[in-house]
Amino acid sequence: MTDLFSPLRLGAIDLPNRIVMSSLTRNRAGAGNVPTDLTVEYYRQRASAGLILTEASPICPEAHGYPRTPGIHTAEQMAGWKTVTAAVHAAGGRIAIQLWHVGRISHPDLQPGGATPVAPSALCPVGQVMTFKGMQEYVTPRALEAAELPALVASYVQAAKNAMAAGFDGVEIHAGNGYLLDQFLRSSTNQRSDAYGGSKENRARLLLEVLAAVCAAIGNNRVGVRLSPVTPFNDISDANPQETFDYVVGELNRFDLAFLDVLQGTGGAAPEQWLPFDYARLRAIYKGKLILNNGYDFATGQAAVQGGAADAIAYGRALLANPDLVERFRRGAPLNQPDYTKLYVGEEKGYTDYPFLAD
Ligand code: 8OZ
């Protein structure tokens, strides 16, 4: 029977197992938002995962919204990522980079020239943003002009080309978790009256343009996409998420992507707290390979793959704390617990010092 240990082909990427490392922001990039030797070690340690999805990586200077997140828009960042991909490949692994633009989830202190962050509409998120000076209130973003969108699409294309030049096996377009593309998709953050707002077709337009352009640039079989239909993270919601995302995944079928990666519910929250959404319906509409994510353990992940709810499962916290998660699952070995105080701080602590089974 097909299970978590069965091989899987995602477009052009051959996985030896279906245990995927979820994208995880870790805030440990070096000067210039460049991956460091520690980044190399962290990903190398996790190379036995079927596929590594990197932490979200800003595609251009304006895409940044958090301190110390490694970008993919400068030569130094590309060189840093190249050492990461080489190490993962030498260790027998596969790695795709998550391409990220935060949109309004930023602050002038994190923007080039202290500029106002951009978004589909000039709506200020409720909450606070982590800056180099500590937590600060969000500001009201500047609504992007329609005439600026082709340059934005071009930034995704350039970042995808940079990623391929840096040795990645593919890219995942981050269109979830309340960041820029999700701000266009969901009705609470998109109040535009042009061709990019209003109807679900219009709200999905920018994502579909990005996907078309990135697929044309690097090949559809190296492109995946992340969606999170109901997470309220970053002050976002949709008046009718089922209608919006049924439409979006139906349109994704046109591209024959390598994979679709869906964050169910809310990251970190228990299923009882998730807003209602029918993921089986997405599975039925979407014709390609589906990765599901959020709170799976070995038993529930096995059940999802064996029962056909998903082709693969993305594990975040479990792979963060267990670099050899695949082997632990295979042996039924106990798991290390993540140190939640070190998710976004601590350099090597809580990052590269989680023990392997043999240790
Ligand atoms: C947690 C902290 C910072 C960023 C996401 C990129 O939710 C993130 C993120 C998560 O997709």
Side-chain angles (χ1 to χ4, degrees):
M1 190 200 287
T2 299
D3 72 2
L4 284 171
F5 305 112
S6 307
L8 175 65
R9 173 160 266 250
L10 296 179
I13 313 170
D14 274 312
L15 282 57
N17 63 66
R18 295 164 182 240
I19 299 164
V20 171
M21 180 173 174
S22 175
S23 190
L24 295 163
T25 290
R26 305 305 309 273
N27 302 83
R28 284 162 168 89
N33 296 311
V34 174
T36 67
D37 290 348
L38 217 49
T39 322
V40 174
E41 179 62 6
Y42 168 71
Y43 286 114
R44 190 191 62 74
Q45 289 176 342
R46 287 156 180 79
S48 62
L51 174 66
I52 293 170
L53 300 172
T54 70
E55 62 207 281
S57 185
I59 60 166
C60 59
E62 297 76 17
H64 286 262
Y66 297 81
R68 302 188 61 183
T69 49
I72 184 71
H73 52 88
T74 72
E76 294 74 22
Q77 291 163 359
M78 288 169 67
W81 279 123
K82 201 165 189 167
T83 60
V84 172
T85 60
V88 168
H89 290 152
R94 296 135 301 276
I95 181 165
I97 188 169
Q98 193 185 56
L99 299 183
W100 192 29
H101 192 309
V102 297
R104 67 181 193 153
I105 303 303
S106 187
H107 188 277
D109 284 1
L110 298 163
Q111 289 290 310
T116 302
V118 296
S121 301
L123 297 166
C124 185
V126 173
Q128 292 190 320
V129 46
M130 191 207 309
T131 71
F132 288 102
K133 291 185 212 146
M135 301 306 285
Q136 299 192 56
E137 293 298 315
Y138 283 111
V139 301
T140 300
R142 177 177 74 76
L144 282 158
E145 307 277 347
E148 294 178 278
L149 299 180
L152 183 64
V153 172
S155 294
Y156 279 94
V157 168
Q158 188 59 53
K161 287 181 178 169
N162 291 350
M164 298 316 288
F168 283 101
D169 298 290
V171 305
E172 175 177 86
I173 305 295
H174 193 351
N177 294 4
Y179 299 108
L180 183 66
L181 293 172
D182 202 22
Q183 290 159 27
F184 272 85
L185 287 175
R186 291 203 256 175
S187 61
S188 76
T189 42
N190 184 341
Q191 297 184 0
R192 299 177 71 93
S193 53
D194 63 3
Y196 294 87
S199 65
K200 59 186 185 304
E201 292 82 0
N202 282 355
R203 283 180 279 120
R205 191 175 309 280
L206 180 63
L207 170 61
L208 299 176
E209 288 181 359
V210 166
L211 287 172
V214 171
C215 286
I218 68 164
N220 58 297
N221 55 6
R222 304 244 173 225
V223 180
V225 62
R226 151 58 69 93
L227 299 174
S228 60
V230 296
T231 183
F233 186 51
N234 291 320
D235 188 27
I236 197 164
S237 64
D238 193 86
N240 194 337
Q242 196 76 49
E243 191 181 289
T244 298
F245 287 91
D246 285 358
Y247 171 74
V248 171
V249 300
E251 289 300 297
L252 294 183
N253 286 329
R254 289 202 267 126
F255 299 102
D256 192 18
L257 298 172
F259 59 90
L260 166 62
D261 169 18
V262 173
L263 178 80
Q264 297 174 268
T266 302
E272 308 79 69
Q273 295 162 321
W274 297 356
L275 290 169
F277 191 85
D278 185 353
Y279 297 94
R281 203 175 145 77
L282 284 195
R283 174 66 159 165
I285 295 169
Y286 186 61
K287 303 296 176 223
K289 297 288 189 286
L290 178 67
I291 305 172
L292 287 179
N293 185 354
N294 196 6
Y296 285 91
D297 61 16
F298 178 59
T300 56
Q302 275 291 52
V305 170
Q306 289 172 345
D311 296 295
I313 300 297
Y315 290 92
R317 286 159 276 178
L319 254 158
L320 182 154
N322 298 273
D324 52 354
L325 185 68
V326 175
E327 187 59 21
R328 287 175 192 252
F329 277 177
R330 227 185 264 284
R331 293 200 213 166
L335 301 186
N336 304 318
Q337 292 311 305
D339 178 352
Y340 289 104
T341 69
K342 304 268 181 331
L343 293 182
Y344 309 118
V345 293
E347 305 306 328
E348 75 283 1
K349 295 192 188 63
Y351 190 53
T352 50
D353 63 355
Y354 286 104
F356 284 71
L357 272 177
D359 293 0

